[in-house]
Amino acid sequence: MSAPKKIRIKKAGSEGKKINQILEVVESYAKLDFNKKAPIENSNNNFNALAIGINMLGEELQSSTISLNEKDILLKEIHHRIKNNLQIISSLLRLQADQVQDKRLSVFFSDNVRRIKSMALVHETLYNSENLSKVNFSQYLRSLIDHIREAYHYTQKIDFVLKAEPHNLKIDVAIACGLIINELITNSIKYAFEKRNSGKIELLFTKIKQKKSKNIFKLVVRDNGAGLPANIDIYQSKSLGLQLVTMLTEQLDGSLSVESNKGTAFTIIFPG
Amino acid sequence: MENVIRTRVFTTWIDNAGICRTKVKQGAIIELADAEENSAAVQKVSAGKIYPMLVDLTHINFIHKSARDHFAMRNRKPGVKVIAMLIGSPVSKVIGNFFLGINKPTVPTQLFTSEKKAVAWLSKFVS
């Protein structure tokens, strides 16, 4: 893109010169450079009044820009601290998990460590990005999958496929989705490939339509494993993982559908 | 005029009608130190009372942001009841409008081009 053409008054004389000086200052402000000032004279004419007004406006804009930058730095720091605090909680749980003899209790601790990590990753994604109020969800999904792969010890060869469109989600929506995905992928790793040597887990994230001012998103977690037991009702399940999935889908004001055919596919449609 | 305080750019006194007046000197460029000096002067001439105030901006040349912020009285107790700003020149009009829109004082503030009308409005607040 070529640089925009500068607007200048060709009128000769001191008035034309003064207008051009003021235009130069306005152009600097548009580039967030507030150091340039329009020259002020000790006179009470309209040009001087205009120059003074422009200079004062520049001071106000500079001050607002500085406070906005300070807020950004503070917000980044807050996300960093939340992430660190969540990491401390998960480290404590991991230590506790190592100390208990009961296998079921140990699994309980490990499952919660993963859940907390999925939330901490949202804050990590936020403080590493330019946009501090919305989460770059495709970037978050990549980190989440990497984390689950590292945290879970499985013996089969499992391929993870991520197809995610680049959309930003609000923090609370991203946290709920992260927890849902964490449960579904963990379930697939645990149960889908029990008597197999290999498998595939796919994660798809797309925007399907825009309804008034809201976007509608589709999230699919699919595996090519054994499928769900024939008589399972996910809304009545006693598994904490599935209970979390249904509860969080409700919290998102979304809908959940499950297909069990040559594997299992969970589809969640939600506004964001 | 009794008990008049003159600072670098302001002259401040209480008039016979019970109005606190401050007049900006010809061509004054007001900085934070000037604004703080003015507040101290207002406090001194007021001697513990709270007056309505007339600020004559007609001869002002410029006022820096720090001084505007000081006069907006955001983080301090206002030493006056209301403010009438007297404007006339194009420069004073621009500066006066900044006080109405951006650097708004915490007490009711109005702009006037007529001193008579400004005094009439302030008189309603004289106790």
Side-chain angles (χ1 to χ4, degrees), chain A residues 64-215:
Chain A
S64 312
T65 311
I66 289 168
S67 39
L68 277 176
N69 287 341
E70 281 169 356
K71 274 183 197 155
D72 271 3
I73 291 166
L74 196 65
L75 207 53
K76 249 182 192 186
E77 179 62 24
I78 288 170
H79 285 305
H80 199 188
R81 285 188 189 188
I82 294 175
K83 178 238 158 191
N84 283 351
N85 289 345
L86 288 172
Q87 214 147 32
I88 290 169
I89 297 169
S90 78
S91 300
L92 290 173
L93 286 176
R94 204 175 291 124
L95 279 174
Q96 205 83 57
D98 292 343
Q99 286 184 354
V100 294
Q101 303 295 321
D102 186 337
K103 182 92 194 291
R104 278 172 54 200
L105 209 51
S106 170
V107 168
F108 166 82
F109 280 121
S110 316
D111 283 350
N112 282 306
V113 165
R114 273 192 295 278
R115 286 173 188 134
I116 291 167
K117 179 70 184 180
S118 79
M119 291 194 278
L121 278 175
V122 168
H123 295 281
E124 191 176 291
T125 309
L126 277 169
Y127 77 68
N128 283 324
S129 77
E130 291 290 312
N131 185 344
L132 292 170
S133 59
K134 288 199 161 188
V135 183
N136 178 334
F137 201 60
S138 57
Q139 189 190 331
Y140 167 72
L141 290 176
R142 268 192 297 277
S143 311
L144 183 63
I145 289 180
D146 285 347
H147 160 69
I148 296 172
R149 287 169 78 163
E150 281 168 23
Y152 218 93
H153 304 292
Y154 46 88
T155 49
Q156 307 91 332
K157 182 189 174 300
I158 301 175
D159 287 331
F160 289 85
V161 178
L162 170 66
K163 287 177 189 163
E165 289 178 359
H167 299 296
N168 292 332
L169 293 184
K170 284 193 279 184
I171 300 173
D172 52 344
V173 175
I175 285 181
C177 287
L179 284 167
I180 290 172
I181 293 163
N182 177 61
E183 295 307 325
L184 295 177
I185 293 184
T186 307
N187 265 0
S188 291
I189 296 173
K190 275 185 188 173
Y191 309 114
F193 314 114
E194 265 179 329
K195 289 171 189 164
R196 297 165 188 231
N197 296 324
S198 64
K200 184 162 90 173
I201 298 173
E202 282 179 286
L203 180 54
L204 316 173
F205 172 64
T206 51
K207 185 170 97 173
I208 50 173
K209 61 183 166 182
Q210 192 152 1
K211 210 175 179 184
K212 288 181 185 166
S213 60
K214 279 198 166 179
N215 292 320

Side-chain angles (χ1 to χ4, degrees), chain B residues 24-40:
Chain B
V24 179
K25 286 181 186 167
Q26 176 76 45
I29 293 176
I30 303 169
E31 291 170 10
L32 177 61
D34 299 313
E36 286 172 342
E37 234 175 13
N38 178 255
S39 297

Side-chain angles (χ1 to χ4, degrees), chain A residues 44 46 52 56 59-60 63, chain B residues 61 65 68 89-91 103:
Chain A
N44 247 323
N46 286 327
I52 284 171
M56 293 203 306
E59 287 179 325
E60 297 299 336
S63 159
Chain B
N61 188 20
K65 177 168 169 54
R68 294 199 301 274
S89 65
V91 170
N103 312 102

Side-chain angles (χ1 to χ4, degrees), chain B residues 96-108:
Chain B
N97 275 294
F98 261 74
F99 279 110
L100 282 199
I102 298 173
N103 312 102
K104 230 174 173 172
T106 50
V107 296

